[in-house]
Amino acid sequence: LDIGVTGDVGEDLTIMRAFVEAQSALTIQAMEEGCHETIAYRIVGRIEINEGYPLTFGTDFRPSGYNPPLVDYKAILNRFNLNSWLAQGVNQIWIWGYHGDKVVLWESNMASSWGNISNSDRNKNELPIVPGKSYTVFNFNYGRDVASSVESLTHQIEAVLNFVDGRDTTPREVW
């Protein structure tokens, strides 16, 4: 990996593939065991992208005047035919990537008929909207450990539970 692009990880691609594979398996194991097997993960497919994130600018989340490059999740998902993945029952998309100082990204980002209930700026334009389908995109750091990816997943659960419980005061866009 080119640390000039990632800003935080410069490692042999073969090593990183094995690392991401192992981290995914361990994250699934931790979530399933932690939920006493009331949830089950099934990997439907994998796509490897050997280039930097597509970027966009503009977010209401950051202070006025702060306009860093933001990962363009819509561009990523449109490139790889999101509708076909959702038609197969996919409701989570895991992106393993770099989290250096060169980009702003979201721990989780959700598209649903209830709006964007996630750890993002909750902008309705960040993800493609698919009528009748809800899904969440997670952006895991391939420079960190399983605890970090599990934390991202559980923060998303926390965001949804806060919404259901009426404790969510974060504005969100509803479609």
Side-chain angles (χ1 to χ4, degrees):
L1 301 176
D2 183 351
I3 199 163
V5 173
T6 68
D8 67 346
V9 175
E11 186 60 78
D12 179 79
L13 189 55
T14 304
I15 291 171
M16 289 310 297
R17 280 185 189 122
F19 179 79
V20 166
E21 197 67 30
Q23 293 294 92
S24 294
L26 290 169
T27 299
I28 288 169
Q29 179 183 1
M31 290 299 293
E32 289 178 347
E33 288 178 7
C35 294
H36 303 285
E37 299 180 3
T38 58
I39 62 171
Y41 284 88
R42 178 175 56 95
I43 297 175
V44 175
R46 293 175 174 80
I47 297 172
E48 182 175 315
I49 304 169
N50 293 313
E51 58 197 52
Y53 289 124
L55 302 174
T56 186
F57 292 85
T59 174
D60 297 329
F61 183 71
R62 301 296 177 175
S64 178
Y66 180 70
N67 193 25
L70 177 68
V71 173
D72 189 343
Y73 296 104
K74 189 181 281 187
I76 293 170
L77 298 173
N78 283 334
R79 180 176 173 186
F80 296 103
N81 196 357
L82 173 65
N83 289 344
S84 70
W85 292 97
L86 297 179
Q88 295 176 65
V90 169
N91 58 23
Q92 291 186 4
I93 297 164
W94 294 7
I95 298 173
W96 288 91
Y98 52 94
H99 289 203
D101 58 358
K102 299 186 179 277
V103 297
V104 170
L105 45 80
W106 305 124
E107 185 176 68
S108 64
N109 208 339
M110 182 181 189
S112 78
S113 57
W114 300 279
N116 184 346
I117 305 161
S118 64
N119 292 330
S120 73
D121 67 355
R122 299 186 177 189
N123 182 331
K124 72 177 180 180
N125 295 316
E126 288 174 349
L127 296 176
I129 304 305
V130 180
K133 299 289 183 181
S134 296
Y135 65 96
T136 306
V137 175
F138 292 91
N139 201 316
F140 299 138
N141 185 342
Y142 57 38
R144 301 200 58 203
D145 60 6
V146 171
S148 297
S149 54
V150 169
E151 180 181 29
S152 295
L153 288 161
T154 56
H155 279 169
Q156 177 60 26
I157 293 168
E158 179 182 39
V160 171
L161 291 176
N162 281 335
F163 172 76
V164 169
D165 208 26
R167 293 181 292 153
D168 181 12
T169 58
T170 306
R172 79 193 133 280
E173 299 286 344
V174 177
W175 306 289

